[in-house]
Amino acid sequence: MTAEEWVPSDGGMRKLRAALPDCRGCDLWEDASQVVGGEGPVRTRMVLVGETPGDHEDKEGHVFVGPAGHLLDKALVAAGIERQDVYLTNAVKHFRFERQGKRRIHKTPSAGQITACHPWLARELEIVKPSVVVVMGSVAARSLLGSSFRVTHERGKRIELDTGQPAVATVHPSAVVRSDNYHRDFEHFVNDLQVAISLISGAGLRHSGAAR
Ligand code: URA
Ligand code: SF4
């Protein structure tokens, strides 16, 4: 399973987005309502990577619009980051779920699905070329840092992706939503975002490089 043959190897974000709905790189497109691509300015220094669209994102077609998104919005504000200045995306672009009666229960994507969807994320990072990538949670970490990476051990410090891009790993915002020590975990998450912003060293989040 791999998305490779559907991912354009040239062109910019517009071409990438246009190609995304055709992807049959794994089986997740079959049951999802729609594919959910990354969103935000291409000329930004910061990309944040989550897991997969959830129930809300799958229905609405936008990233981080459900409960995890609301938590992320609050944390970005607390870290002094404007959501509109960063590019937000997911490691896997289709919602994975199990039906329980009328409800659709989120299911973590498999290792094979994460690998299959990686070419989309890799191309987004190639196009945006951010100064820092925020890797949120273990699915994004598996996609970008490999299966032996442990977010809990390595969070909140400067690391590098195998492309050489600077990154900071942290937990997924939904883990903070569910936390039984919410205030502590919220603060820790905000701290990790602040580490990421400190790596940009005073430059603004948006830049005026050539359109890509
Ligand atoms: N969780 C994610 O990882 N991404 C979304 O877009 C929504 C929830
Ligand atoms: Fe393609 Fe990714 Fe969707 Fe699988 S989850 S069909 S690889 S876009």
Side-chain angles (χ1 to χ4, degrees):
M1 295 201 295
T2 175
E4 239 160 74
E5 65 182 280
W6 287 275
V7 180
S9 53
D10 62 356
M13 198 57 89
R14 205 171 299 175
K15 184 167 177 183
L16 194 74
R17 282 195 77 82
L20 185 60
D22 293 330
C23 184
R24 301 292 181 262
C26 76
D27 54 340
L28 288 180
W29 65 274
E30 288 179 49
D31 294 330
S33 316
Q34 59 190 313
V35 72
V36 183
E39 291 173 3
V42 171
R43 294 175 197 165
T44 177
R45 294 191 168 86
M46 185 181 282
V47 170
L48 292 94
V49 183
E51 182 188 289
T52 71
D55 187 59
H56 291 83
E57 290 78 15
D58 173 78
K59 286 177 183 147
E60 294 180 35
H62 296 289
V63 288
F64 284 108
V65 291
H70 295 147
L71 186 291
L72 179 61
D73 287 345
K74 268 179 66 179
L76 288 171
V77 169
I81 299 168
E82 303 252 17
R83 174 163 166 155
Q84 67 196 42
D85 289 342
V86 299
Y87 184 88
L88 280 176
T89 192
N90 287 304
V92 174
K93 312 300 192 213
H94 276 107
F95 181 35
R96 186 184 193 202
F97 60 92
E98 257 172 12
R99 286 192 193 281
Q100 278 181 22
K102 282 192 178 161
R103 294 183 61 207
R104 305 189 304 170
I105 310 294
H106 162 274
K107 216 176 153 194
T108 304
S110 70
Q113 290 160 343
I114 296 167
T115 305
C117 210
H118 178 82
W120 290 110
L121 177 57
R123 185 72 193 133
E124 287 174 290
L125 294 177
E126 251 174 46
I127 292 170
V128 178
K129 294 188 176 63
S131 306
V132 64
V133 180
V134 180
V135 181
M136 301 188 294
S138 57
V139 169
R142 183 180 262 269
S143 180
L144 291 170
L145 295 157
S147 58
S148 57
F149 187 87
R150 291 289 168 265
V151 169
T152 41
H153 294 167
E154 306 271 355
R155 68 183 289 186
K157 61 183 191 196
R158 186 188 187 283
I159 51 174
E160 274 179 15
L161 308 186
D162 58 13
T163 55
Q165 279 171 310
V168 174
T170 187
V171 294
H172 193 278
S174 66
V176 182
V177 172
R178 289 191 310 260
S179 167
D180 47 25
N181 201 336
Y182 177 84
H183 292 287
R184 181 200 62 190
D185 291 350
F186 181 79
E187 250 177 57
H188 202 171
F189 183 58
V190 171
N191 271 340
D192 293 346
L193 295 175
Q194 283 167 334
V195 171
I197 196 116
S198 75
L199 298 182
I200 293 167
S201 57
L205 279 171
R206 293 222 198 195
H207 59 78
S208 51
R212 288 191 284 258

